[in-house]
Each structure stands twice: as structure tokens, then as C-alpha cells.
Amino acid sequence: HNSALAFAALEMGGLVKDREAAACGASLARIPGRFQRIEAQGKTWILDGAHNLDAGQILAKQLEEADLQGVALLTGMLHGHDPEPFYENLYPFVSEVFLTR
């Protein structure tokens, strides 16, 4: 959704000169920290910056699709976010939780 909105804004501003090239570039874009897998110390680590309800739903779907169960969740949330719905999405996949400020 974010990339589509950005593309539309660029297009409306007359900044897209080649739609195919822009679409190709967007398809190759990667965002570190969005369901990023890292293998370290004999463990698989999933890094994700999810911090709101929509992102929590997407993260839960990705965990389900990757067939990941019993993960440890290291998390923190800024004041003003609604944590309960966010964590409810992740509950089926988590075996332990570590909270930080």
C-alpha cells in the first residue's frame, strides 16, 4: 500500500518518466527489518519492525506462511499504540515474550 501511494504521488507530480522502469525498480526494492531472516549462533532470527495493528497482522500471516511456531518475541512499543490487538495476532506463534521500553 505504501509503495502504491508513493508511486501515485510521484506520477501525479510528473516525476515518473518510464512506468515500466519504475515498476521494475519497485519490484526489486527490499526493506531491511521487514521479515528479514538472519542465521546466527545456530538459530534463525526474524527481524521485523512491526509496531501497529496492520503490521502485526501482516507479520502473523508471514509467520504462518513460513510455518514458524514457538518463536521468542523481543518487542517494545511506544506510548500511544494499542498493544493488545497487535499482540493477539502474534500469540499463536509465540512461546516466550521479552518486553523492552
Side-chain angles (χ1 to χ4, degrees), residues 15-60:
L15 299 173
V16 176
K17 304 300 181 202
D18 183 336
R19 287 187 64 120
E20 279 188 47
C24 180
S27 73
L28 298 173
R30 297 290 174 259
I31 303 172
R34 286 290 181 197
F35 209 77
Q36 180 181 354
R37 282 182 186 248
I38 294 177
E39 302 292 330
Q41 300 176 356
K43 295 182 181 182
T44 300
W45 301 79
I46 305 294
L47 307 179
D48 197 285
H51 64 279
N52 59 35
L53 179 57
D54 290 340
Q57 290 171 337
I58 292 168
L59 177 56

Side-chain angles (χ1 to χ4, degrees), residues 67-98:
D67 197 27
L68 293 173
Q69 300 283 326
V71 300
L73 179 66
L74 170 61
T75 183
M77 190 169 291
L78 295 174
H79 180 72
H81 289 279
D82 190 9
E84 287 183 30
F86 174 83
Y87 292 119
E88 284 174 3
N89 288 303
L90 300 174
Y91 175 78
F93 307 99
V94 174
S95 63
E96 55 187 329
V97 176
F98 301 91

